[in-house]
């Protein structure tokens, strides 16, 4: 029992276990938006990526000539807080998700947990997490 929801740990995909560290870091960043907290949050995401962490990915088709929106969720609970619209989602490695965003010209970045513990990672921040030159 955590965060008001009963959880069966057998059902949580192993790739999502540990992602609560990302949620905690984002929450701290929301409390105190500073360069230091941003750097800390990016470090936590990088660490989860190196541990083989996964995101639940939902792709929203572009509306009215806009850009494709890629949303990433750290847990099923975060996904369920959503808009109520049924999105097709899939599980993928954090690094694979980032590399796909960098490769896709029609995307600006990726929104992690759009409903609650939210961080918008543009391509520059993604390159920082991956340790690549900006």
């Amino acid at each position: 029992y955590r965060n008001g929801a009963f959880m069966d740990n057998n059902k949580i995909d192993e790739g999502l276990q540990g992602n609560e560290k990302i949620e905690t870091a984002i929450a701290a960043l929301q409390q105190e938006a500073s360069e230091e907290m941003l750097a800390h949050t990016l470090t936590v995401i990088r660490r989860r990526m190196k541990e083989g962490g996964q995101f639940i990915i939902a792709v929203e088709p572009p509306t009215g000539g806009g850009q494709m929106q890629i949303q990433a969720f750290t847990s099923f609970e975060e996904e369920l807080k959503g808009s109520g619209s049924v999105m097709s989602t899939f599980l993928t490695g954090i690094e694979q998700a980032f590399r796909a965003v960098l490769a896709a010209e029609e995307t600006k970045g990726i929104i992690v947990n759009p409903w609650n513990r939210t961080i918008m990672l543009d391509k520059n921040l993604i390159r920082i997490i991956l340790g690549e030159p900006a």
Side-chain angles (χ1 to χ4, degrees):
Y1 185 80
R2 194 172 76 214
N3 299 338
F6 287 94
M7 298 181 37
D8 177 357
N9 283 335
N10 298 331
K11 288 188 184 155
I12 296 178
D13 193 278
E14 284 177 20
L16 299 174
Q17 287 176 359
N19 280 357
E20 62 279 356
K21 295 173 193 154
I22 296 175
E23 294 167 23
T24 303
I26 292 171
L29 177 63
Q30 288 173 328
Q31 294 291 312
E32 183 204 327
S34 66
E35 290 286 316
E36 291 81 15
M37 286 309 301
L38 176 60
H40 169 71
T41 303
L42 298 181
T43 300
V44 171
I45 295 171
R46 177 189 293 139
R47 205 171 291 144
R48 280 297 301 136
M49 178 184 82
K50 299 258 190 237
E51 290 168 4
Q54 293 186 311
F55 282 152
I56 302 161
I57 299 288
V59 178
E60 294 250 312
T63 51
Q67 291 203 309
M68 188 167 66
Q69 257 209 333
I70 299 181
Q71 301 174 341
F73 300 93
T74 50
S75 65
F76 292 110
E77 293 82 57
E78 285 297 328
E79 182 195 348
L80 292 172
K81 288 174 183 158
S83 60
S85 65
V86 177
M87 298 181 284
S88 62
T89 60
F90 59 93
L91 216 53
T92 190
I94 293 173
E95 182 169 355
Q96 287 92 316
F98 287 160
R99 296 207 179 278
V101 169
L102 290 181
E105 280 182 36
E106 66 275 18
T107 63
K108 273 198 219 136
I110 193 165
I111 302 167
V112 179
N113 293 339
W115 323 124
N116 181 29
R117 303 246 160 113
T118 307
I119 187 170
M120 172 69 200
L121 298 173
D122 63 20
K123 290 185 175 181
N124 284 336
L125 293 178
I126 290 171
R127 285 188 191 100
I128 290 168
I129 292 169
L130 290 170
E132 295 181 353

